[in-house]
Protein backbone atom coordinates (compact mmCIF):
# COMPACT_ATOMS: atom_id res chain seq x y z
CA UNK A 1 0.00 0.00 0.00
CA UNK A 2 1.33 3.42 -0.93
CA UNK A 3 2.22 5.87 1.79
CA UNK A 4 0.44 9.22 2.04
CA UNK A 5 1.58 11.56 -0.76
CA UNK A 6 4.26 14.11 0.12
CA UNK A 7 3.51 17.07 -2.10
CA UNK A 8 6.18 19.49 -3.29
CA UNK A 9 4.04 22.25 -1.85
CA UNK A 10 0.76 22.54 0.01
CA UNK A 11 -1.44 25.56 0.73
CA UNK A 12 -1.27 27.25 4.09
CA UNK A 13 -4.74 26.67 5.57
CA UNK A 14 -5.39 28.25 8.98
CA UNK A 15 -8.05 26.67 11.22
CA UNK A 16 -11.42 26.72 9.46
CA UNK A 17 -13.20 28.08 12.53
CA UNK A 18 -11.05 31.22 12.33
CA UNK A 19 -12.38 31.92 8.84
CA UNK A 20 -16.06 31.76 9.79
CA UNK A 21 -16.25 35.27 11.37
CA UNK A 22 -14.84 36.78 8.17
CA UNK A 23 -17.49 35.01 6.11
CA UNK A 24 -20.20 36.17 8.48
CA UNK A 25 -19.11 39.77 7.95
CA UNK A 26 -19.30 39.29 4.18
CA UNK A 27 -22.79 37.76 4.48
CA UNK A 28 -23.87 40.73 6.61
CA UNK A 29 -22.54 43.27 4.14
CA UNK A 30 -23.84 41.40 1.06
CA UNK A 31 -20.87 42.90 -0.82
CA UNK A 32 -18.95 40.20 -2.66
CA UNK A 33 -16.70 42.22 -4.97
CA UNK A 34 -15.95 45.73 -6.31
CA UNK A 35 -13.42 46.76 -3.64
CA UNK A 36 -15.50 45.95 -0.59
CA UNK A 37 -14.28 46.34 2.98
CA UNK A 38 -12.25 43.09 2.98
CA UNK A 39 -10.48 44.09 -0.24
CA UNK A 40 -9.62 47.52 1.13
CA UNK A 41 -8.47 46.09 4.44
CA UNK A 42 -6.20 43.54 2.75
CA UNK A 43 -4.54 46.15 0.54
CA UNK A 44 -3.80 48.24 3.63
CA UNK A 45 -2.60 45.25 5.68
CA UNK A 46 -0.31 44.01 2.90
CA UNK A 47 1.26 47.45 2.47
CA UNK A 48 2.02 47.46 6.18
CA UNK A 49 3.32 43.87 6.32
CA UNK A 50 5.45 44.07 3.18
CA UNK A 51 6.73 47.59 3.76
CA UNK A 52 5.47 49.08 0.49
CA UNK A 53 3.34 52.16 -0.19
CA UNK A 54 0.70 51.02 -2.67
CA UNK A 55 -0.77 47.64 -3.67
CA UNK A 56 -3.52 46.84 -6.17
CA UNK A 57 -5.11 43.43 -5.61
CA UNK A 58 -6.01 41.11 -8.50
CA UNK A 59 -7.95 37.92 -9.10
CA UNK A 60 -4.67 36.16 -9.99
CA UNK A 61 -1.04 36.88 -10.73
CA UNK A 62 -1.33 36.40 -14.49
CA UNK A 63 -3.98 39.11 -14.77
CA UNK A 64 -1.68 41.30 -12.71
CA UNK A 65 1.18 40.72 -15.17
CA UNK A 66 -1.03 41.43 -18.18
CA UNK A 67 -2.35 44.61 -16.57
CA UNK A 68 1.10 45.83 -15.49
CA UNK A 69 2.24 45.78 -19.10
CA UNK A 70 -0.88 47.70 -20.11
CA UNK A 71 -0.40 50.21 -17.30
CA UNK A 72 3.11 51.08 -18.50
CA UNK A 73 2.03 50.97 -22.16
CA UNK A 74 4.72 48.43 -23.04
CA UNK A 75 5.13 47.65 -26.74
CA UNK A 76 7.73 46.14 -29.09
CA UNK A 77 10.16 43.79 -27.36
CA UNK A 78 10.71 42.89 -23.72
CA UNK A 79 13.82 41.11 -22.42
CA UNK A 80 12.95 38.29 -20.06
CA UNK A 81 14.06 34.92 -18.74
CA UNK A 82 13.31 31.50 -20.25
CA UNK A 83 13.61 29.97 -16.76
CA UNK A 84 10.22 30.65 -15.21
CA UNK A 85 6.59 29.59 -15.21
CA UNK A 86 4.96 30.16 -18.61
CA UNK A 87 2.75 33.02 -17.35
CA UNK A 88 5.78 35.31 -17.41
CA UNK A 89 6.09 35.13 -21.19
CA UNK A 90 2.38 34.51 -21.86
CA UNK A 91 1.58 37.93 -20.39
CA UNK A 92 3.79 39.46 -23.10
CA UNK A 93 2.08 37.61 -25.94
CA UNK A 94 -1.35 38.61 -24.63
CA UNK A 95 -0.20 42.23 -24.96
CA UNK A 96 1.18 41.75 -28.46
CA UNK A 97 4.73 42.12 -27.16
CA UNK A 98 7.65 40.00 -28.37
CA UNK A 99 9.58 38.17 -25.64
CA UNK A 100 13.37 38.24 -26.04
CA UNK A 101 14.97 35.49 -23.96
CA UNK A 102 18.30 36.08 -22.25
CA UNK A 103 20.33 33.48 -20.38
CA UNK A 104 20.46 33.16 -16.59
CA UNK A 105 23.10 33.33 -13.90
CA UNK A 106 24.35 29.81 -12.97
CA UNK A 107 24.15 30.39 -9.21
CA UNK A 108 20.96 32.40 -8.68
CA UNK A 109 19.17 31.18 -11.85
CA UNK A 110 17.92 34.74 -12.30
CA UNK A 111 18.26 36.80 -15.46
CA UNK A 112 21.98 37.45 -16.01
CA UNK A 113 22.55 41.23 -16.23
CA UNK A 114 25.80 40.65 -18.16
CA UNK A 115 23.73 39.21 -21.03
CA UNK A 116 21.03 41.88 -21.20
CA UNK A 117 22.72 44.69 -23.12
CA UNK A 118 23.58 42.51 -26.11
CA UNK A 119 19.86 41.70 -26.49
CA UNK A 120 18.68 45.33 -26.56
CA UNK A 121 17.41 46.60 -29.92
CA UNK A 122 15.61 49.79 -30.99
CA UNK A 123 12.34 47.91 -30.35
CA UNK A 124 13.18 47.06 -26.72
CA UNK A 125 10.95 48.89 -24.25
CA UNK A 126 11.29 46.94 -21.01
CA UNK A 127 12.97 44.22 -18.97
CA UNK A 128 10.90 41.60 -17.12
CA UNK A 129 13.12 39.69 -14.67
CA UNK A 130 11.92 37.04 -12.22
CA UNK A 131 13.06 36.69 -8.60
CA UNK A 132 13.40 32.95 -9.17
CA UNK A 133 12.59 30.78 -6.12
CA UNK A 134 12.44 34.02 -4.11
CA UNK A 135 16.15 34.76 -4.63
CA UNK A 136 16.46 38.50 -5.39
CA UNK A 137 17.72 39.50 -8.82
CA UNK A 138 20.75 41.76 -9.20
CA UNK A 139 18.45 44.75 -9.00
CA UNK A 140 21.23 47.34 -9.01
CA UNK A 141 22.77 46.05 -12.26
CA UNK A 142 19.36 45.79 -13.91
CA UNK A 143 18.47 49.34 -12.82
CA UNK A 144 21.70 50.71 -14.30
CA UNK A 145 20.97 49.07 -17.65
CA UNK A 146 17.36 50.25 -17.62
CA UNK A 147 18.42 53.82 -16.84
CA UNK A 148 21.07 53.82 -19.56
CA UNK A 149 18.67 52.64 -22.27
CA UNK A 150 15.49 54.28 -20.92
CA UNK A 151 13.72 50.96 -20.34
CA UNK A 152 10.92 50.09 -17.94
CA UNK A 153 11.47 47.26 -15.44
CA UNK A 154 8.59 45.01 -14.38
CA UNK A 155 9.58 42.38 -11.82
CA UNK A 156 7.73 39.09 -11.84
CA UNK A 157 7.91 38.66 -8.07
CA UNK A 158 5.49 35.72 -7.90
CA UNK A 159 7.98 33.83 -5.70
CA UNK A 160 9.12 36.82 -3.64
CA UNK A 161 6.42 37.49 -1.04
CA UNK A 162 8.08 38.94 2.10
CA UNK A 163 11.59 38.74 0.59
CA UNK A 164 13.81 41.61 1.67
CA UNK A 165 17.26 42.96 0.93
CA UNK A 166 19.44 45.13 3.16
CA UNK A 167 17.24 48.19 2.65
CA UNK A 168 13.76 46.70 2.74
CA UNK A 169 11.30 44.83 0.54
CA UNK A 170 12.61 43.64 -2.83
CA UNK A 171 9.17 44.57 -4.15
CA UNK A 172 10.13 48.24 -4.16
CA UNK A 173 12.50 47.75 -7.11
CA UNK A 174 11.62 48.41 -10.73
CA UNK A 175 8.67 50.36 -12.07
CA UNK A 176 6.25 47.66 -10.89
CA UNK A 177 6.45 44.33 -9.06
CA UNK A 178 3.87 41.57 -9.50
CA UNK A 179 2.92 39.04 -6.82
CA UNK A 180 1.01 35.77 -7.09
CA UNK A 181 -1.24 34.57 -4.28
CA UNK A 182 -1.98 31.22 -5.92
CA UNK A 183 -2.70 28.32 -3.58
CA UNK A 184 0.84 26.97 -3.98
CA UNK A 185 2.55 30.21 -3.00
CA UNK A 186 4.01 31.17 0.39
CA UNK A 187 1.03 33.49 0.95
CA UNK A 188 -2.23 32.56 -0.75
CA UNK A 189 -5.76 33.90 -1.16
CA UNK A 190 -7.00 30.67 -2.83
CA UNK A 191 -6.31 32.44 -6.13
CA UNK A 192 -5.03 35.98 -6.29
CA UNK A 193 -2.28 38.39 -7.12
CA UNK A 194 -1.20 41.98 -6.76
CA UNK A 195 0.78 44.80 -8.33
CA UNK A 196 3.08 46.78 -6.07
CA UNK A 197 2.89 50.39 -7.28
CA UNK A 198 5.42 53.19 -6.61
CA UNK A 199 2.85 55.99 -6.25
CA UNK A 200 -0.87 56.72 -5.89
CA UNK A 201 -1.24 57.89 -9.50
CA UNK A 202 0.05 54.58 -10.89
CA UNK A 203 -2.20 52.62 -8.54
CA UNK A 204 -5.19 54.66 -9.69
CA UNK A 205 -4.48 53.85 -13.34
CA UNK A 206 -4.09 50.15 -12.49
CA UNK A 207 -7.32 50.18 -10.46
CA UNK A 208 -9.11 51.60 -13.50
CA UNK A 209 -7.60 49.00 -15.82
CA UNK A 210 -8.60 46.07 -13.61
CA UNK A 211 -12.22 47.28 -13.48
CA UNK A 212 -13.09 47.64 -17.18
CA UNK A 213 -11.58 51.14 -17.27
CA UNK A 214 -14.38 52.63 -15.17
CA UNK A 215 -13.71 55.84 -13.23
CA UNK A 216 -17.33 56.22 -12.16
CA UNK A 217 -20.74 54.94 -13.19
CA UNK A 218 -20.70 56.63 -16.59
CA UNK A 219 -17.03 57.27 -17.38
CA UNK A 220 -14.65 54.74 -18.96
CA UNK A 221 -11.09 55.94 -19.56
CA UNK A 222 -9.30 52.80 -20.76
CA UNK A 223 -10.01 49.38 -22.35
CA UNK A 224 -9.78 47.57 -19.03
CA UNK A 225 -10.55 44.01 -18.01
CA UNK A 226 -12.18 42.38 -15.02
CA UNK A 227 -9.19 41.59 -12.82
CA UNK A 228 -10.67 42.31 -9.39
CA UNK A 229 -10.14 40.14 -6.32
CA UNK A 230 -13.43 39.19 -4.63
CA UNK A 231 -14.21 39.63 -0.96
CA UNK A 232 -13.89 35.96 0.06
CA UNK A 233 -10.33 35.75 -1.24
CA UNK A 234 -9.46 39.07 0.39
CA UNK A 235 -10.88 37.87 3.69
CA UNK A 236 -8.83 34.70 3.49
CA UNK A 237 -5.74 36.84 2.85
CA UNK A 238 -6.43 38.82 6.03
CA UNK A 239 -6.63 35.56 7.97
CA UNK A 240 -3.44 34.28 6.32
CA UNK A 241 -1.52 37.32 7.55
CA UNK A 242 -2.21 36.22 11.12
CA UNK A 243 -0.31 32.97 10.45
CA UNK A 244 2.30 33.92 7.86
CA UNK A 245 5.21 34.52 10.24
CA UNK A 246 4.84 31.02 11.70
CA UNK A 247 4.67 29.59 8.20
CA UNK A 248 7.81 31.41 7.08
CA UNK A 249 9.67 30.29 10.20
CA UNK A 250 8.73 26.66 9.53
CA UNK A 251 9.90 26.95 5.93
CA UNK A 252 13.26 28.23 7.20
CA UNK A 253 13.56 25.20 9.51
CA UNK A 254 12.87 22.80 6.64
CA UNK A 255 15.41 24.59 4.44
CA UNK A 256 18.01 24.23 7.20
CA UNK A 257 17.21 20.52 7.66
CA UNK A 258 17.65 19.83 3.95
CA UNK A 259 20.95 21.69 3.87
CA UNK A 260 22.24 19.85 6.91
CA UNK A 261 21.43 16.48 5.30
CA UNK A 262 22.29 17.19 1.66
CA UNK A 263 24.94 19.91 1.37
CA UNK A 264 27.89 17.53 1.58
CA UNK A 265 26.54 14.98 -0.90
CA UNK A 266 28.76 14.52 -3.94
CA UNK A 267 26.97 15.33 -7.16
CA UNK A 268 24.09 17.20 -5.55
CA UNK A 269 24.25 20.98 -5.42
CA UNK A 270 22.03 23.14 -3.19
CA UNK A 271 21.52 26.67 -4.44
CA UNK A 272 23.16 29.41 -2.37
CA UNK A 273 21.21 30.25 0.76
CA UNK A 274 19.28 33.51 0.87
CA UNK A 275 19.76 35.05 4.32
CA UNK A 276 17.34 33.56 6.86
CA UNK A 277 16.20 37.10 7.72
CA UNK A 278 15.61 38.08 4.08
CA UNK A 279 14.41 34.97 2.21
CA UNK A 280 11.02 33.27 2.23
CA UNK A 281 12.15 29.69 1.45
CA UNK A 282 9.39 29.35 -1.11
CA UNK A 283 11.11 26.41 -2.84
CA UNK A 284 13.98 24.02 -2.18
CA UNK A 285 15.64 23.32 -5.55
CA UNK A 286 18.69 21.09 -5.87
CA UNK A 287 20.88 20.53 -8.91
CA UNK A 288 21.77 16.95 -9.83
CA UNK A 289 25.25 16.98 -11.36
CA UNK A 290 26.87 14.45 -13.69
CA UNK A 291 28.88 12.85 -10.90
CA UNK A 292 25.75 11.83 -8.96
CA UNK A 293 25.30 8.07 -9.51
CA UNK A 294 21.93 8.39 -11.27
CA UNK A 295 20.42 11.15 -13.38
CA UNK A 296 17.88 13.77 -12.40
CA UNK A 297 15.01 12.08 -14.18
CA UNK A 298 15.82 8.75 -12.53
CA UNK A 299 15.63 10.41 -9.09
CA UNK A 300 12.38 12.08 -10.14
CA UNK A 301 10.84 8.73 -11.07
CA UNK A 302 12.19 7.05 -7.94
CA UNK A 303 10.68 9.74 -5.69
CA UNK A 304 7.32 9.67 -7.40
CA UNK A 305 7.22 5.88 -7.17
CA UNK A 306 7.49 6.39 -3.42
CA UNK A 307 4.63 8.97 -3.51
CA UNK A 308 7.03 11.89 -2.98
CA UNK A 309 5.76 14.29 -5.61
CA UNK A 310 8.87 16.28 -6.45
CA UNK A 311 8.79 18.65 -9.43
CA UNK A 312 11.22 19.71 -12.15
CA UNK A 313 10.75 23.49 -11.87
CA UNK A 314 11.51 24.70 -14.60
CA UNK A 315 11.58 21.95 -17.19
CA UNK A 316 11.02 22.42 -20.04
CA UNK A 317 12.11 26.02 -20.48
CA UNK A 318 9.52 28.53 -21.67
CA UNK A 319 11.61 28.93 -24.82
CA UNK A 320 11.00 25.26 -25.70
CA UNK A 321 7.20 25.53 -25.95
CA UNK A 322 5.71 25.73 -29.47
CA UNK A 323 4.63 29.37 -29.30
CA UNK A 324 8.18 30.48 -28.40
CA UNK A 325 10.67 28.05 -29.90
CA UNK A 326 10.67 29.82 -33.28
CA UNK A 327 11.95 33.07 -31.80
CA UNK A 328 15.64 33.79 -32.57
CA UNK A 329 16.32 34.36 -28.86
CA UNK A 330 14.92 30.88 -28.05
CA UNK A 331 17.78 29.12 -29.87
CA UNK A 332 19.32 26.65 -27.36
CA UNK A 333 22.82 27.91 -28.14
CA UNK A 334 21.71 31.30 -26.89
CA UNK A 335 20.62 29.87 -23.51
CA UNK A 336 23.21 27.29 -22.40
CA UNK A 337 22.98 27.98 -18.66
CA UNK A 338 19.18 27.86 -18.66
CA UNK A 339 19.15 24.57 -20.58
CA UNK A 340 21.71 23.07 -18.20
CA UNK A 341 19.63 24.14 -15.18
CA UNK A 342 16.42 22.74 -16.69
CA UNK A 343 18.15 19.36 -17.18
CA UNK A 344 19.49 19.25 -13.61
CA UNK A 345 16.92 20.89 -11.32
CA UNK A 346 14.69 19.06 -8.88
CA UNK A 347 12.46 20.88 -6.38
CA UNK A 348 12.02 18.97 -3.14
CA UNK A 349 8.92 19.23 -0.92
CA UNK A 350 8.74 22.31 1.30
CA UNK A 351 5.67 23.75 3.01
CA UNK A 352 4.69 24.64 6.59
CA UNK A 353 2.85 21.37 7.30
CA UNK A 354 5.72 19.16 6.13
CA UNK A 355 6.92 17.02 9.03
CA UNK A 356 10.63 16.67 9.81
CA UNK A 357 10.24 12.91 9.40
CA UNK A 358 9.03 13.44 5.84
CA UNK A 359 12.03 15.66 5.09
CA UNK A 360 14.24 12.87 6.41
CA UNK A 361 12.46 10.35 4.18
CA UNK A 362 13.21 12.47 1.12
CA UNK A 363 16.85 12.79 2.15
CA UNK A 364 17.15 9.10 3.00
CA UNK A 365 16.06 8.13 -0.52
CA UNK A 366 18.76 10.35 -2.01
CA UNK A 367 21.45 9.07 0.36
CA UNK A 368 20.40 5.48 -0.35
CA UNK A 369 21.20 5.95 -4.02
CA UNK A 370 24.74 7.01 -3.17
CA UNK A 371 25.26 3.98 -0.94
CA UNK A 372 23.69 1.59 -3.43
CA UNK A 373 25.96 2.70 -6.27
CA UNK A 374 29.04 2.95 -4.06
CA UNK A 375 28.69 -0.67 -2.92
Amino acid sequence: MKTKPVHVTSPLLPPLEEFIPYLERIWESRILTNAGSMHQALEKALCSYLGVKHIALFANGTLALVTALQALRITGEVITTPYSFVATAHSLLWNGVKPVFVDIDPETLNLDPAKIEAAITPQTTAIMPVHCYGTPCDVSAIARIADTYNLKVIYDAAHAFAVRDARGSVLRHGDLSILSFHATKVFNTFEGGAIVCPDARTKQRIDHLKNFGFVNETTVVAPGINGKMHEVSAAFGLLQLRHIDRALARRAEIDAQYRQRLSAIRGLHCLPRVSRDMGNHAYFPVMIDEDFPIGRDAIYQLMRAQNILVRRYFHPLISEFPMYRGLPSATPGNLPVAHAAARRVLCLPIHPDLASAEVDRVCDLIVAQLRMHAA
Side-chain angles (χ1 to χ4, degrees), residues 71-83:
L72 297 182
R73 299 177 173 90
I74 301 302
T75 59
E77 298 177 354
V78 170
I79 292 170
T80 191
T81 172
Y83 193 81

Side-chain angles (χ1 to χ4, degrees), residues 256-277:
Q257 185 177 354
Y258 273 132
R259 290 180 188 278
Q260 192 275 326
R261 291 288 314 272
L262 300 177
S263 291
I265 289 181
R266 176 180 54 83
L268 185 147
H269 172 61
C270 300
L271 293 189
R273 185 196 301 266
V274 178
S275 166
R276 187 184 178 101
D277 295 330

Side-chain angles (χ1 to χ4, degrees), residues 70 73 201 203-225:
Q70 283 282 317
R73 299 177 173 90
R201 183 178 178 181
K203 173 173 162 52
Q204 183 180 60
R205 171 164 167 75
I206 287 168
D207 283 342
H208 291 161
L209 285 170
K210 78 176 183 184
N211 187 30
F212 306 101
F214 277 107
V215 174
N216 55 44
E217 186 177 349
T218 59
T219 305
V220 176
V221 296
I225 57 174

